Amino acid sequence: MKLLSRSEEMVLLAVWRLQDEAYCVPIRSELMQITRKNWSFGSIYDPLERLERKKLLESFLTEPTKERGGRSKRIYRLTKHGKNALMELKKIQETLWQGALDLKA
Amino acid sequence: MTPNPRYQKPLKFAEWVLRSIHSDHGEYTHLGDFSEVSNHIQTDRGPLAALFWYWFQVVRSLPGFATNRIYWSATMFRNYLIISFRNTLKNKWFSLLNIAGLAVGMACFILILMFVQFETSFDRFHEKSERIYRVISRNTAREPDVTEFSDHTPELLAELLAAEFPEIERATRSRESFTDKAILQYQEKIFYQIGIFADPEFLKIFSFPLLKGDLERALAAPRSIVLTEHVAQKLFGSDDPLGRIVSYREKRRQYDMTVTGVMADVPENSHLRFDYIISHATTVAEEKDSYMIANWNIWNFATYVELTSPEARSRVEEKFPAFLARQGQEGGSDAFFLQSIEDIHLRSQIRGERATNNQIRSVYLFMSIALIILLIACINYMNLVTARSMTRAREIGIRKVAGASRRQLIKQFIGETLLVTAFALGISLLLVRFGLPYFNLLVGADLGMGALSQTNLLFLIAGTVLFVGIASGTYPALVLSALKPVNVLKDFSASGKKGAGLRNVLVVFQFSASIVLIACTLVVFNQLNYIKNQKLGFDREHVVVIPVREQETRDKAQAIRTELLQHPEVLGVSISGGLPTNIRSRYFGGKFVKDNGEVVETYVCFDYVDYDFLDVFKIDLVAGRNFSREFGEDDKAILINETLWKKLGWADPVGKEVDVMDYTRVIGVVKDFHFASFHEEIQPMVLAFESGSHIAVRIRPGDVQSRVALIRGIFENNSKGQPFDFFFLDDSFNELYQKEQRTGEIFGYFSLLAIFIACLGLLGLASFSVERRTKEIGIRKILGAPVLKIVGLLTKDFVRMVVLANVIAWPVAYFAMRQWLDNFAYRIDITLGTFLLAAAAALLIAFITISTQTLKAAMSNPVDTLRYE
């Protein structure tokens, strides 16, 4: 399994957290809130598209809304592979952190 | 929430910009994201903040957009390039034809551009060229319906103008020497050179840099001479000429000149041409020349003025009449005008001008020819590409299916054309490089490749390439990009009918243009032939002329004559002032009294002749007697020509009283002869007696070399100080028509080129059309058609086009040639034969071009053509 980049992983997680309302704007505001850094739109679009290409995400268009000047949203959802990828990553992360806090320096 | 109306417009604009550069695959979901967030900001922080944020996002999107574009453009460009090359190589012949046509067309165009640039650059190298004017006068006095301009003015005009007109900063006067060339000698080096007399202001007005010598003093003192670089080189080698004495000799004047300066050689594009300048003070100091100084009746000088600004010109011209009145010169109805020196070469129409003028017609003519040829080349390209459009059907079909828009395809094909054009440019530059010497010969110019480095010329050439590329490429691009993918699947060995109609029209146009050029060439050469063979009224063959340029030769002239006549090869010697090809005065005023007592003032052409003139040149006398040794030197007698006699209507011309200069009596009438070019009617002419400027020797036909050597020997024996210089009378006659001769040659060569290019196109089309019909030909052969019938079938269409081309070409050619022939008072009629000849030539050439293809096809084995069905 290929390792995901940091932002890919974070975007993936954000999608999971947001469940049904996972489109660009909330993903971005969620990430900005959590990391307290400014995320440009491009840094969201790009990972989203890459992940979709890798089949870790799937997406669909919604009905247009007035709020968006009459344009639709593209909602992203985790695929099975996406979920698996996240779980694996989590495991790798935990393994790496295991016992690290007890070590000196 | 309703958005604030004040910020709507800029917001909408920002949105539009973002939409154009952002790529969200047409879904607009990203735009929606932006709208959503900006609305949030609007509610939170106000509409201005939202606007700023939005624009900020636009700016952030730019780099991505830019790199994206560049990357894809580069990729596509590479793809187009490769496809272009492959296509070119796949159809070697066609590509060659295309490139050849474009290269030749562009080469012609570039050559002509260089020429035009040279012609229009005359006299502009002077720093103050926009402020320098020549004073010209208009004479209407004697004959009310004849308005002539002249560049001759009195000597004192320059000084007076500078003094009385505040708008005139400086004025200078210059004149030519009495003989066409004068002798300069230093020690044993002796040369003929051309030069002028001028005052010190001359060098201050014009930008002729002095390499040695002082600008203020070089032309101040009498007997000073400023040499041009190459003359200084000839006379002094690498020694310093300043201060040295050079002997100057011309007719009736000889001086020892002190060299007071050396100047740079006069550039080619100057209407003033000279090898040296002698100070005007020399003339002032010379007693024999005093008649022309400060005399309103002698107009020997050219006057040039430098104005404070070009706008002052009309003011000065308006003041001229008052000025003339103050000088007591009104009533002579000689009005003065200012002519910008930049206009002299192109537009001056002064007769008998010292430099070549009125070149603007040549310029227009050349430009038209250049454009016609370029047009033919472009049409070629268009035809060839569209004819072959089906060969690219597969590529286009697939591109369209893969998502190419029409616009992209158009860009691709125009780009391809530009590429081909650029490549053709390279070849055309090579052609220019090697064709330049021949071109120079043809048009009588002296252009070098350096002329190409002028910036505006480079721009023009680049512009031309662009224009040619886009003009030729647009139509094929449109045609090709319109092909439907569906045709890829169809059997495409047929068709090619696309745009066939327009193609034929274009071919007809090409051939029309070529036929016009051919017809014009024929007419020009016919006229020249006519001129050459026309009876001139004098015999110009076998006459050797030696110009008498200095006093010693003059004194010895009779002795030379006597000695020459002792030889049987010499049939006659005349020592005249004028020659039949060069009657030097055109506008001599004369007063005559008609039989009814009416006094007629008229202009006549005037020159001096000797006793033997009529004899040597074989001109007939129709009444009265010639100047004769029996009667001695008759200084009151004149001969007139038939035209003048008719004009005055005398019953008996002999003995009539006249008032022409100092002459009072008519002793005879000569038969009219053409002493000017055939452009003009024969003018009234007066001949008076004086021996002097030319020794004309009629030699027996035969070994010309030895006869000239004989003459040379006798001349050099007698006249030690003058180098032997001669010319043949018929050569000087031909020079009158140099311009027409050139025009004829130019037309000839360019018609050749035009037809060549048109044939290239025809070849391509023919070969293609034949290719298309191979199956049809195969079947016809099987059914028994003879080879000739098949050839006929194939050529029928093309022959029809050429015939149609004639229909268009003939009226155009007729009209154009009528205009040109109107320049001549004596001319041929344009006959049908000329047009038929042109038509036949075009037909023949077209036929030969096509026959290679048609014969091959007609003789092909049906087995080969029908093998794959």
Side-chain angles (χ1 to χ4, degrees):
Chain A
M1 191 220 75
K2 284 198 217 115
L3 293 171
L4 293 175
S5 75
R6 195 83 222 214
S7 41
E8 280 175 341
E9 191 192 337
M10 288 164 106
V11 165
L12 213 52
L13 270 171
V15 170
W16 194 346
R17 286 166 71 90
L18 289 170
Q19 295 289 300
D20 287 326
E21 273 305 297
Y23 66 100
C24 201
V25 177
I27 294 175
R28 180 172 173 256
S29 57
E30 176 94 348
L31 284 172
M32 285 210 298
Q33 207 177 38
I34 295 176
T35 62
R36 271 176 265 161
K37 286 212 181 298
N38 201 319
W39 286 64
S40 69
F41 278 92
S43 57
I44 309 285
Y45 290 144
D46 202 34
L48 278 176
E49 286 183 14
R50 251 186 286 146
L51 288 168
E52 187 164 9
R53 251 182 284 148
K54 293 186 193 175
K55 301 268 199 301
L56 302 174
L57 284 179
E58 59 186 5
S59 66
F60 59 90
L61 280 173
T62 61
E63 287 299 310
T65 63
K66 183 154 178 239
E67 188 189 40
R68 293 162 63 84
R71 301 182 184 98
S72 38
K73 305 180 215 185
R74 185 166 271 282
I75 308 252
Y76 289 84
R77 254 199 334 230
L78 281 175
T79 60
K80 199 163 46 141
H81 298 296
K83 287 206 193 86
N84 293 341
L86 273 179
M87 297 317 300
E88 280 207 48
L89 276 171
K90 184 165 187 305
K91 224 185 340 181
I92 293 174
Q93 181 109 14
E94 282 169 356
T95 320
L96 281 172
W97 273 105
Q98 210 171 41
L101 288 169
D102 299 326
L103 296 166
K104 270 198 259 206
Chain B
M1 142 224 57
T2 35
N4 189 319
R6 180 145 161 244
Y7 295 98
Q8 274 297 82
K9 272 254 253 344
L11 201 64
K12 281 253 178 300
F13 179 56
E15 251 183 47
W16 176 84
V17 173
L18 199 62
R19 180 154 40 105
S20 313
I21 68 179
H22 207 78
S23 57
D24 56 3
H25 314 296
E27 290 179 340
Y28 300 129
T29 45
H30 296 191
L31 274 176
D33 293 335
F34 285 117
S35 301
E36 201 180 307
V37 175
S38 98
N39 281 338
H40 290 167
I41 298 183
Q42 203 172 55
T43 22
D44 286 344
R45 303 202 299 232
L48 191 61
L51 190 65
F52 276 145
W53 178 88
Y54 207 98
W55 275 110
F56 185 52
Q57 297 306 313
V58 171
V59 171
R60 284 186 89 155
S61 309
L62 282 174
F65 166 71
T67 43
N68 208 19
R69 269 303 188 105
I70 293 174
Y71 174 72
W72 282 112
S73 297
T75 312
M76 284 317 284
F77 182 71
R78 185 165 158 270
N79 173 269
Y80 292 153
L81 210 66
I82 295 175
I83 299 287
S84 263
F85 273 138
R86 283 200 193 140
N87 252 310
T88 312
L89 291 176
K90 211 167 32 155
N91 308 315
K92 287 207 191 69
W93 276 121
F94 269 98
S95 312
L96 202 67
L97 286 176
N98 254 337
I99 294 179
L102 284 175
V104 170
M106 281 199 283
C108 285
F109 192 74
I110 292 177
L111 280 173
I112 288 178
L113 269 185
M114 287 167 70
F115 173 76
V116 166
Q117 198 213 34
F118 174 73
E119 292 284 304
T120 50
S121 72
F122 261 67
D123 296 312
R124 278 169 224 257
F125 59 88
H126 298 293
E127 230 185 286
K128 309 183 216 168
S129 66
E130 350 168 278
R131 297 192 279 139
I132 304 179
Y133 295 85
R134 182 169 68 170
V135 179
I136 56 176
S137 64
R138 183 179 63 192
N139 309 305
T140 44
R142 278 159 258 245
E143 265 154 294
D145 54 337
V146 173
T147 307
E148 285 293 335
F149 289 93
S150 157
D151 59 342
H152 289 75
T153 51
E155 183 262 348
L156 33 51
L157 188 64
E159 267 176 323
L160 286 174
L161 287 179
E164 296 212 14
F165 286 77
E167 299 91 342
I168 296 183
E169 286 218 25
R170 294 194 174 86
T172 180
R173 55 212 136 179
S174 75
R175 73 171 178 90
E176 296 173 343
S177 41
F178 292 114
T179 51
D180 56 339
K181 296 187 198 170
I183 297 173
L184 291 181
Q185 178 170 18
Y186 177 70
Q187 295 174 345
E188 73 289 350
K189 300 207 186 67
I190 179 169
F191 299 104
Y192 276 121
Q193 304 290 161
I194 302 175
I196 58 175
F197 291 73
D199 64 16
E201 301 292 282
F202 187 85
L203 287 174
K204 292 190 206 155
I205 295 183
F206 294 110
S207 305
F208 291 120
L210 263 186
L211 302 171
K212 286 201 172 82
D214 184 84
L215 196 63
E216 290 293 326
R217 296 204 307 244
L219 291 173
R223 315 277 173 102
S224 313
I225 186 170
V226 173
L227 304 171
T228 50
E229 219 182 327
H230 74 281
V231 173
Q233 177 76 10
K234 280 206 281 191
L235 287 173
F236 296 99
S238 44
D239 294 337
D240 184 9
L242 278 187
R244 304 214 188 216
I245 307 288
V246 167
S247 159
Y248 169 85
R249 296 204 288 288
E250 57 151 318
K251 187 161 87 161
R252 293 199 250 243
R253 305 273 184 277
Q254 24 188 24
Y255 305 116
D256 284 330
M257 298 286 189
T258 314
V259 179
T260 49
V262 179
M263 56 181 278
D265 285 338
V266 177
E268 285 292 326
N269 50 352
S270 163
H271 80 283
L272 293 160
R273 307 213 59 76
F274 50 87
D275 299 323
Y276 61 81
I277 311 179
I278 294 180
S279 60
H280 176 66
T282 313
T283 313
V284 175
E286 170 66 54
E287 217 193 291
K288 288 188 257 182
D289 289 330
S290 59
Y291 69 94
M292 62 169 100
I293 306 292
N295 183 355
W296 270 100
N297 289 323
I298 302 291
W299 293 36
N300 247 353
F301 290 79
T303 305
Y304 295 90
V305 299
E306 176 191 325
L307 295 186
T308 47
S309 81
E311 288 80 34
R313 179 228 190 120
S314 36
R315 250 183 300 143
V316 173
E317 281 182 343
E318 278 164 29
K319 289 203 213 169
F320 272 143
F323 166 75
L324 282 173
R326 280 201 297 277
Q327 305 298 326
Q329 293 303 316
E330 63 197 330
S333 74
D334 284 321
F336 283 144
F337 296 96
L338 292 178
Q339 180 187 44
S340 166
I341 57 165
E342 292 178 349
D343 281 338
I344 292 179
H345 181 73
L346 290 175
R347 296 201 173 80
S348 173
Q349 295 188 330
I350 295 179
R351 286 254 211 87
E353 169 137 25
R354 304 164 209 221
T356 23
N357 55 1
N358 200 17
Q359 289 291 84
I360 195 87
R361 277 174 151 218
S362 294
V363 168
Y364 288 147
L365 181 71
F366 276 81
M367 284 307 298
S368 328
I369 293 181
L371 283 171
I372 290 178
I373 293 191
L374 204 62
L375 203 59
I376 293 181
C378 289
I379 291 176
N380 243 14
Y381 182 85
M382 284 196 256
N383 276 352
L384 287 175
V385 174
T386 52
R388 297 221 115 216
S389 56
M390 290 313 283
T391 56
R392 301 191 69 165
R394 199 179 273 167
E395 176 200 341
I396 296 168
I398 291 182
R399 280 187 192 268
K400 284 198 162 186
V401 163
S405 66
R406 181 125 192 253
R407 210 199 263 173
Q408 278 176 305
L409 284 169
I410 291 178
K411 263 192 261 182
Q412 175 190 354
F413 291 119
I414 293 190
E416 219 173 277
T417 311
L418 281 171
L419 214 68
V420 171
T421 310
F423 187 65
L425 180 69
I427 298 187
S428 72
L429 285 174
L430 272 173
L431 286 174
V432 167
R433 167 89 176 69
F434 290 110
L436 204 53
Y438 301 101
F439 184 69
N440 277 336
L441 268 173
L442 187 66
V443 299
D446 187 21
L447 302 164
M449 287 302 279
L452 277 178
S453 59
Q454 302 263 18
T455 31
N456 43 353
L457 199 60
L458 282 175
F459 271 126
L460 268 172
I461 294 179
T464 310
V465 172
L466 263 171
F467 172 75
V468 169
I470 294 182
S472 328
T474 310
Y475 174 60
L478 287 171
V479 165
L480 288 172
S481 59
L483 286 179
K484 295 195 180 35
V486 131
N487 289 330
V488 172
L489 303 169
K490 273 206 207 149
D491 175 17
F492 64 90
S493 63
S495 282
K497 287 272 181 61
K498 273 235 166 259
L502 185 61
R503 269 209 295 288
N504 290 343
V505 168
L506 293 177
V507 170
V508 168
F509 174 76
Q510 278 180 312
F511 269 91
S512 292
S514 309
I515 292 173
V516 167
L517 285 174
I518 294 179
C520 289
T521 313
L522 287 173
V523 170
V524 169
F525 276 120
N526 270 343
Q527 173 71 3
L528 283 174
N529 240 2
Y530 168 77
I531 290 174
K532 285 214 180 96
N533 296 331
Q534 188 67 344
K535 287 252 163 281
L536 294 169
F538 65 91
D539 186 354
R540 67 178 192 269
E541 308 258 320
H542 313 296
V543 176
V544 175
V545 181
I546 306 166
V548 173
R549 293 206 182 93
E550 51 126 29
Q551 199 51 39
E552 191 193 342
T553 316
R554 246 195 131 123
D555 297 333
K556 294 288 184 50
Q558 286 300 331
I560 295 175
R561 176 172 181 275
T562 319
E563 203 179 319
L564 278 171
L565 284 174
Q566 288 168 356
H567 296 262
E569 298 94 346
V570 173
L571 299 175
V573 179
S574 157
I575 308 179
S576 285
L579 294 170
T581 53
N582 183 15
I583 299 291
R584 290 166 301 176
S585 274
R586 295 314 200 78
Y587 297 106
F588 230 81
K591 278 211 201 71
F592 304 88
V593 183
K594 283 174 123 160
D595 281 341
N596 56 11
E598 188 188 329
V599 174
V600 175
E601 272 199 54
T602 179
Y603 283 125
V604 294
C605 293
F606 178 88
D607 214 336
Y608 297 104
V609 299
D610 75 340
Y611 305 112
D612 305 295
F613 182 82
L614 295 184
D615 193 39
V616 167
F617 294 107
K618 306 213 180 134
I619 300 172
D620 294 326
L621 206 59
V622 294
R625 64 165 182 90
N626 187 8
F627 297 112
S628 139
R629 290 190 171 77
E630 297 164 5
F631 287 80
E633 278 197 26
D634 201 338
D635 56 353
K636 295 281 179 241
I638 58 168
L639 293 171
I640 64 174
N641 68 354
E642 281 178 309
T643 306
L644 184 54
W645 182 14
K646 272 197 206 91
K647 189 166 186 174
L648 297 174
W650 287 329
D652 178 16
V654 181
K656 282 282 187 294
E657 302 258 323
V658 298
D659 180 11
V660 179
M661 245 190 20
D662 299 323
Y663 300 92
T664 52
R665 220 162 31 88
V666 176
I667 57 167
V669 180
V670 299
K671 199 164 163 64
D672 275 342
F673 60 92
H674 288 274
F675 51 82
S677 80
F678 275 46
H679 289 120
E680 313 165 18
E681 305 266 353
I682 295 183
Q683 300 286 320
M685 187 182 69
V686 166
L687 297 173
F689 182 87
E690 188 187 86
S691 190
S693 312
H694 294 96
I695 302 177
V697 183
R698 175 170 287 284
I699 53 177
R700 196 183 290 277
D703 182 359
V704 170
Q705 293 266 37
S706 70
R707 311 236 193 287
V708 171
L710 171 71
I711 298 174
R712 182 195 197 119
I714 294 178
F715 181 87
E716 282 176 345
N717 264 345
N718 282 292
S719 169
K720 306 285 193 319
Q722 180 179 340
F724 181 67
D725 189 23
F726 75 99
F727 58 88
F728 290 101
L729 193 66
D730 42 11
D731 285 339
S732 84
F733 172 74
N734 288 339
E735 267 171 36
L736 280 175
Y737 300 101
Q738 210 185 35
K739 204 169 187 181
E740 281 74 20
Q741 178 76 17
R742 283 232 179 96
T743 310
E745 283 177 6
I746 287 167
F747 266 121
Y749 283 118
F750 281 111
S751 329
L752 231 67
L753 275 172
I755 269 236
F756 173 70
I757 299 178
C759 280
L760 284 180
L762 195 62
L763 190 65
L765 280 181
S767 120
F768 180 70
S769 118
V770 156
E771 222 179 299
R772 256 196 305 122
R773 300 167 76 167
T774 45
K775 289 217 182 91
E776 174 196 341
I777 296 172
I779 292 176
R780 282 182 190 270
K781 287 200 85 165
I782 287 175
L783 292 177
V787 169
L788 274 176
K789 183 142 188 273
I790 295 184
V791 169
L793 209 65
L794 292 168
T795 48
K796 191 174 56 165
D797 295 317
F798 294 105
V799 166
R800 220 172 337 140
M801 284 198 277
V802 176
V803 170
L804 187 59
N806 275 302
V807 171
I808 301 177
W810 289 7
V812 174
Y814 181 80
F815 182 70
M817 281 297 102
R818 189 58 316 140
Q819 292 275 45
W820 184 76
L821 280 178
D822 277 345
N823 271 329
F824 291 84
Y826 302 93
R827 55 181 178 250
I828 55 171
D829 290 317
I830 309 180
T831 57
L832 188 62
T834 323
F835 294 111
L836 286 174
L837 199 58
L843 215 63
L844 188 66
I845 296 175
F847 190 72
I848 294 178
T849 314
I850 305 175
S851 62
T852 48
Q853 301 298 317
T854 52
L855 276 174
K856 191 173 67 171
M859 297 198 290
S860 64
N861 193 337
V863 167
D864 299 317
T865 53
L866 297 171
R867 195 187 286 266
Y868 304 102
E869 191 46 65

